[in-house]
Amino acid sequence: MAHQKPLPLILLSIIPLFFILTQAQSPTAPAPAPAGPIDIFAILKKEGQYNTFIKFLNESQVGNQINNQVNNSNQGMTVLAPSDNAFNNLPSGTLNQLNDQQKVQLILNHVIPKFYTFDDLQTVSNPVRTQATGPKGEPFGLNFTGNNNQVNVSSGSVVTNIYNAIRKDPPLAVYQLDKVLVPSEFTDPKAPSSDDAPAPAKAKNGTSGDKTTADEPSPASSTKPNDAKRISGGILGLICGVFLMGTLS
Ligand SMILES: *[C@@H]1O[C@H](CO)[C@@H](O)[C@H](O)[C@H]1NC(C)=O
Ligand SMILES: *[C@@H]1O[C@H](CO)[C@@H](O)[C@H](O)[C@H]1NC(C)=O
Ligand SMILES: *[C@@H]1O[C@H](CO)[C@@H](O)[C@H](O)[C@H]1NC(C)=O
Ligand SMILES: *[C@@H]1O[C@H](CO)[C@@H](O)[C@H](O)[C@H]1NC(C)=O
Ligand SMILES: *[C@@H]1O[C@H](CO)[C@@H](O)[C@H](O)[C@H]1NC(C)=O
């Protein structure tokens, strides 16, 4: 009789202990390290207005390249991210003129293999190399001009203001763009770069600017007028439209 009472007592004390131990084992497993690798997709997704750029980063594999490169380079990186509005504001039909290779170069023209703070951008020496290259491997450059805490960036055919840092911690800086930086190289691909006077491609009756305008009605668009730029107007429009159609399909 005296033996019967202690047994349940022992059980009663063991069972909760057992319960606690088993319970403790599963949830205690440490969660994946919170500070994971930098993910350009996650950074842009969180902002909610970069769906087109995300799509192109994904399709072109450039997004993965950025994620790998930012991890492995000691220079860091800077990404200029055109908003959905920037893509929407491209004249329709323009991007259709780009082959797949050029689409990749267009995206790469927004990727700089070095980390730049906003202050850096105001004083950086131009041109700044992007990761885009021409057919001969020549790098495409961007010009940055800074003044009074303002920074403009120019691809030659497109100029826009940089005012919003989406991410500013090394090794990756990400800035918002309200325009797509279409390389001026796309507008005049056949002319040798050394050629001083590229013949305006048979401009019809001086109406070359009638269909599309390269410069959006933003005050940031004023570029030096010259022949190449005027030609670029129409082509730029075409280039951009192709891109847009791609995103819509
Ligand atoms: C990239 O595209 C693939 C295939 O369409 C899709 O499954 C994936 O979710 C996309 N990734 C991102 C980050 O958008
Ligand atoms: C980052 O780089 C380290 C070594 O350089 C490598 O071990 C790790 O797998 C890389 N992570 C990613 C996500 O690429
Ligand atoms: C950058 O500026 C230089 C000198 O003014 C000019 O020759 C070059 O075409 C510009 N490049 C771009 C991409 O704007
Ligand atoms: C302009 O184009 C019209 C028809 O497209 C043509 O008849 C006319 O001769 C052209 N003018 C010049 C100056 O090329
Ligand atoms: C940027 O561009 C705008 C419009 O062209 C101009 O008014 C402004 O002075 C420029 N700022 C810089 C820093 O170049």
Side-chain angles (χ1 to χ4, degrees), residues 58-91:
N58 193 10
E59 283 175 2
S60 64
Q61 295 298 317
V62 172
N64 291 336
Q65 278 177 39
I66 292 169
N67 288 342
N68 287 329
Q69 204 172 328
V70 86
N71 181 35
N72 295 319
S73 110
N74 50 11
Q75 298 271 310
M77 300 192 83
T78 300
V79 172
L80 306 173
S83 64
D84 288 337
N85 272 339
F87 282 101
N88 289 339
N89 287 334
L90 290 170

Tab-separated table of all heavy atoms in Angstrom, residues 58-91:
chain	number	residue	atom	x	y	z
A	58	ASN	N	15.283	40.361	-62.807
A	58	ASN	CA	15.092	38.922	-62.694
A	58	ASN	C	15.320	38.245	-64.042
A	58	ASN	O	16.125	37.327	-64.154
A	58	ASN	CB	13.671	38.670	-62.173
A	58	ASN	CG	13.468	37.229	-61.726
A	58	ASN	OD1	14.423	36.461	-61.637
A	58	ASN	ND2	12.228	36.868	-61.462
A	59	GLU	N	14.662	38.729	-65.068
A	59	GLU	CA	14.752	38.110	-66.394
A	59	GLU	C	16.178	38.140	-66.937
A	59	GLU	O	16.612	37.213	-67.607
A	59	GLU	CB	13.839	38.836	-67.378
A	59	GLU	CG	12.382	38.493	-67.221
A	59	GLU	CD	11.500	39.325	-68.139
A	59	GLU	OE1	12.032	40.140	-68.923
A	59	GLU	OE2	10.283	39.148	-68.054
A	60	SER	N	16.869	39.223	-66.673
A	60	SER	CA	18.208	39.389	-67.236
A	60	SER	C	19.277	38.739	-66.373
A	60	SER	O	20.444	38.716	-66.755
A	60	SER	CB	18.522	40.882	-67.351
A	60	SER	OG	18.550	41.458	-66.061
A	61	GLN	N	18.881	38.239	-65.207
A	61	GLN	CA	19.840	37.667	-64.248
A	61	GLN	C	20.730	38.729	-63.600
A	61	GLN	O	21.618	38.403	-62.813
A	61	GLN	CB	20.748	36.607	-64.905
A	61	GLN	CG	20.004	35.372	-65.374
A	61	GLN	CD	19.333	34.632	-64.237
A	61	GLN	OE1	19.896	34.443	-63.180
A	61	GLN	NE2	18.086	34.231	-64.450
A	62	VAL	N	20.498	39.976	-63.942
A	62	VAL	CA	21.344	41.023	-63.373
A	62	VAL	C	21.138	41.126	-61.860
A	62	VAL	O	22.073	41.385	-61.111
A	62	VAL	CB	21.070	42.384	-64.059
A	62	VAL	CG1	21.796	43.513	-63.355
A	62	VAL	CG2	21.498	42.324	-65.517
A	63	GLY	N	19.918	40.875	-61.425
A	63	GLY	CA	19.639	40.916	-59.983
A	63	GLY	C	20.493	39.913	-59.215
A	63	GLY	O	21.074	40.242	-58.179
A	64	ASN	N	20.577	38.710	-59.750
A	64	ASN	CA	21.420	37.702	-59.097
A	64	ASN	C	22.884	38.100	-59.131
A	64	ASN	O	23.620	37.896	-58.168
A	64	ASN	CB	21.238	36.338	-59.775
A	64	ASN	CG	19.855	35.768	-59.519
A	64	ASN	OD1	19.207	36.113	-58.529
A	64	ASN	ND2	19.406	34.907	-60.406
A	65	GLN	N	23.289	38.674	-60.268
A	65	GLN	CA	24.675	39.156	-60.368
A	65	GLN	C	24.973	40.173	-59.289
A	65	GLN	O	26.037	40.137	-58.663
A	65	GLN	CB	24.902	39.830	-61.721
A	65	GLN	CG	25.183	38.895	-62.872
A	65	GLN	CD	25.325	39.685	-64.169
A	65	GLN	OE1	25.898	40.769	-64.192
A	65	GLN	NE2	24.791	39.145	-65.244
A	66	ILE	N	24.032	41.076	-59.086
A	66	ILE	CA	24.237	42.108	-58.063
A	66	ILE	C	24.380	41.451	-56.695
A	66	ILE	O	25.294	41.774	-55.926
A	66	ILE	CB	23.059	43.106	-58.064
A	66	ILE	CG1	23.059	43.925	-59.359
A	66	ILE	CG2	23.120	44.018	-56.848
A	66	ILE	CD1	21.800	44.741	-59.572
A	67	ASN	N	23.496	40.535	-56.399
A	67	ASN	CA	23.538	39.890	-55.083
A	67	ASN	C	24.854	39.155	-54.855
A	67	ASN	O	25.402	39.187	-53.754
A	67	ASN	CB	22.362	38.930	-54.931
A	67	ASN	CG	21.045	39.663	-54.776
A	67	ASN	OD1	21.029	40.859	-54.452
A	67	ASN	ND2	19.949	38.972	-55.011
A	68	ASN	N	25.352	38.516	-55.896
A	68	ASN	CA	26.635	37.825	-55.765
A	68	ASN	C	27.788	38.810	-55.666
A	68	ASN	O	28.677	38.671	-54.831
A	68	ASN	CB	26.876	36.904	-56.968
A	68	ASN	CG	25.984	35.687	-56.910
A	68	ASN	OD1	25.634	35.225	-55.820
A	68	ASN	ND2	25.604	35.179	-58.068
A	69	GLN	N	27.738	39.787	-56.531
A	69	GLN	CA	28.862	40.719	-56.632
A	69	GLN	C	28.998	41.576	-55.377
A	69	GLN	O	30.102	41.871	-54.932
A	69	GLN	CB	28.660	41.609	-57.857
A	69	GLN	CG	29.941	42.183	-58.413
A	69	GLN	CD	29.694	42.888	-59.737
A	69	GLN	OE1	28.812	42.495	-60.505
A	69	GLN	NE2	30.446	43.932	-59.997
A	70	VAL	N	27.877	41.978	-54.826
A	70	VAL	CA	27.920	42.844	-53.663
A	70	VAL	C	28.516	42.089	-52.477
A	70	VAL	O	29.162	42.669	-51.605
A	70	VAL	CB	26.511	43.401	-53.356
A	70	VAL	CG1	25.704	42.460	-52.503
A	70	VAL	CG2	26.596	44.778	-52.755
A	71	ASN	N	28.330	40.789	-52.505
A	71	ASN	CA	28.866	39.952	-51.438
A	71	ASN	C	30.363	39.735	-51.617
A	71	ASN	O	31.092	39.586	-50.659
A	71	ASN	CB	28.121	38.609	-51.462
A	71	ASN	CG	28.580	37.669	-50.375
A	71	ASN	OD1	28.916	38.104	-49.289
A	71	ASN	ND2	28.601	36.383	-50.673
A	72	ASN	N	30.783	39.709	-52.859
A	72	ASN	CA	32.161	39.303	-53.126
A	72	ASN	C	33.112	40.448	-53.434
A	72	ASN	O	34.316	40.257	-53.445
A	72	ASN	CB	32.189	38.322	-54.299
A	72	ASN	CG	31.472	37.030	-53.953
A	72	ASN	OD1	31.618	36.534	-52.840
A	72	ASN	ND2	30.681	36.519	-54.866
A	73	SER	N	32.576	41.614	-53.737
A	73	SER	CA	33.474	42.707	-54.089
A	73	SER	C	33.757	43.561	-52.869
A	73	SER	O	32.902	43.729	-52.011
A	73	SER	CB	32.847	43.557	-55.198
A	73	SER	OG	32.461	44.813	-54.688
A	74	ASN	N	34.934	44.124	-52.821
A	74	ASN	CA	35.211	45.011	-51.699
A	74	ASN	C	34.950	46.467	-52.070
A	74	ASN	O	35.103	47.362	-51.263
A	74	ASN	CB	36.635	44.815	-51.174
A	74	ASN	CG	37.649	44.871	-52.301
A	74	ASN	OD1	37.307	45.259	-53.417
A	74	ASN	ND2	38.874	44.493	-52.021
A	75	GLN	N	34.549	46.682	-53.320
A	75	GLN	CA	34.208	48.034	-53.771
A	75	GLN	C	32.784	48.403	-53.425
A	75	GLN	O	32.434	49.572	-53.403
A	75	GLN	CB	34.356	48.114	-55.293
A	75	GLN	CG	35.750	47.876	-55.794
A	75	GLN	CD	36.541	49.161	-55.846
A	75	GLN	OE1	36.084	50.147	-56.393
A	75	GLN	NE2	37.702	49.160	-55.236
A	76	GLY	N	31.957	47.401	-53.218
A	76	GLY	CA	30.549	47.655	-53.051
A	76	GLY	C	29.900	47.979	-54.382
A	76	GLY	O	30.543	47.881	-55.437
A	77	MET	N	28.646	48.363	-54.335
A	77	MET	CA	27.915	48.643	-55.569
A	77	MET	C	26.910	49.756	-55.359
A	77	MET	O	26.495	50.037	-54.234
A	77	MET	CB	27.160	47.390	-56.028
A	77	MET	CG	28.044	46.213	-56.299
A	77	MET	SD	27.136	44.928	-57.150
A	77	MET	CE	27.249	45.524	-58.815
A	78	THR	N	26.532	50.370	-56.477
A	78	THR	CA	25.469	51.372	-56.466
A	78	THR	C	24.475	51.009	-57.556
A	78	THR	O	24.862	50.751	-58.696
A	78	THR	CB	26.047	52.779	-56.730
A	78	THR	OG1	26.997	53.086	-55.704
A	78	THR	CG2	24.946	53.827	-56.730
A	79	VAL	N	23.215	50.968	-57.183
A	79	VAL	CA	22.162	50.666	-58.143
A	79	VAL	C	21.240	51.872	-58.250
A	79	VAL	O	20.796	52.420	-57.232
A	79	VAL	CB	21.360	49.414	-57.715
A	79	VAL	CG1	20.148	49.214	-58.621
A	79	VAL	CG2	22.244	48.173	-57.728
A	80	LEU	N	20.994	52.305	-59.478
A	80	LEU	CA	20.044	53.383	-59.734
A	80	LEU	C	18.759	52.723	-60.222
A	80	LEU	O	18.736	52.135	-61.307
A	80	LEU	CB	20.602	54.339	-60.793
A	80	LEU	CG	21.997	54.898	-60.470
A	80	LEU	CD1	22.541	55.692	-61.646
A	80	LEU	CD2	21.962	55.754	-59.216
A	81	ALA	N	17.731	52.809	-59.404
A	81	ALA	CA	16.521	52.030	-59.663
A	81	ALA	C	15.415	52.905	-60.254
A	81	ALA	O	14.834	53.728	-59.551
A	81	ALA	CB	16.036	51.384	-58.369
A	82	PRO	N	15.110	52.726	-61.539
A	82	PRO	CA	13.985	53.469	-62.117
A	82	PRO	C	12.665	52.939	-61.553
A	82	PRO	O	12.463	51.727	-61.489
A	82	PRO	CB	14.088	53.179	-63.621
A	82	PRO	CG	15.418	52.523	-63.829
A	82	PRO	CD	15.773	51.874	-62.543
A	83	SER	N	11.824	53.860	-61.172
A	83	SER	CA	10.528	53.477	-60.620
A	83	SER	C	9.620	52.951	-61.721
A	83	SER	O	9.920	53.087	-62.914
A	83	SER	CB	9.882	54.688	-59.957
A	83	SER	OG	9.627	55.665	-60.942
A	84	ASP	N	8.508	52.382	-61.333
A	84	ASP	CA	7.527	51.945	-62.325
A	84	ASP	C	7.075	53.124	-63.185
A	84	ASP	O	6.871	52.984	-64.386
A	84	ASP	CB	6.323	51.300	-61.629
A	84	ASP	CG	6.681	49.935	-61.047
A	84	ASP	OD1	7.654	49.317	-61.522
A	84	ASP	OD2	5.993	49.492	-60.109
A	85	ASN	N	6.946	54.272	-62.560
A	85	ASN	CA	6.580	55.468	-63.321
A	85	ASN	C	7.606	55.793	-64.387
A	85	ASN	O	7.263	56.226	-65.487
A	85	ASN	CB	6.441	56.678	-62.389
A	85	ASN	CG	5.033	56.785	-61.843
A	85	ASN	OD1	4.108	56.228	-62.428
A	85	ASN	ND2	4.882	57.478	-60.726
A	86	ALA	N	8.868	55.619	-64.049
A	86	ALA	CA	9.927	55.897	-65.016
A	86	ALA	C	9.737	55.034	-66.258
A	86	ALA	O	9.848	55.525	-67.388
A	86	ALA	CB	11.293	55.643	-64.391
A	87	PHE	N	9.443	53.774	-66.048
A	87	PHE	CA	9.223	52.893	-67.202
A	87	PHE	C	7.932	53.263	-67.922
A	87	PHE	O	7.876	53.263	-69.155
A	87	PHE	CB	9.192	51.429	-66.752
A	87	PHE	CG	10.554	50.858	-66.501
A	87	PHE	CD1	11.053	50.736	-65.214
A	87	PHE	CD2	11.364	50.460	-67.554
A	87	PHE	CE1	12.321	50.225	-64.979
A	87	PHE	CE2	12.639	49.945	-67.344
A	87	PHE	CZ	13.113	49.828	-66.052
A	88	ASN	N	6.908	53.586	-67.132
A	88	ASN	CA	5.632	53.951	-67.752
A	88	ASN	C	5.739	55.208	-68.596
A	88	ASN	O	4.995	55.377	-69.566
A	88	ASN	CB	4.560	54.169	-66.671
A	88	ASN	CG	4.137	52.860	-66.031
A	88	ASN	OD1	4.324	51.796	-66.616
A	88	ASN	ND2	3.588	52.925	-64.832
A	89	ASN	N	6.646	56.075	-68.219
A	89	ASN	CA	6.773	57.338	-68.936
A	89	ASN	C	7.607	57.243	-70.202
A	89	ASN	O	7.719	58.222	-70.943
A	89	ASN	CB	7.370	58.410	-68.022
A	89	ASN	CG	6.354	58.879	-66.989
A	89	ASN	OD1	5.152	58.801	-67.221
A	89	ASN	ND2	6.838	59.347	-65.849
A	90	LEU	N	8.188	56.086	-70.431
A	90	LEU	CA	8.894	55.919	-71.696
A	90	LEU	C	7.871	55.921	-72.825
A	90	LEU	O	6.799	55.329	-72.694
A	90	LEU	CB	9.649	54.592	-71.703
A	90	LEU	CG	10.857	54.500	-70.778
A	90	LEU	CD1	11.351	53.071	-70.707
A	90	LEU	CD2	11.957	55.416	-71.252
A	91	PRO	N	8.180	56.591	-73.920
A	91	PRO	CA	7.245	56.586	-75.054
A	91	PRO	C	6.950	55.157	-75.481
A	91	PRO	O	7.854	54.326	-75.554
A	91	PRO	CB	8.014	57.341	-76.146
A	91	PRO	CG	9.020	58.159	-75.418
A	91	PRO	CD	9.375	57.388	-74.187
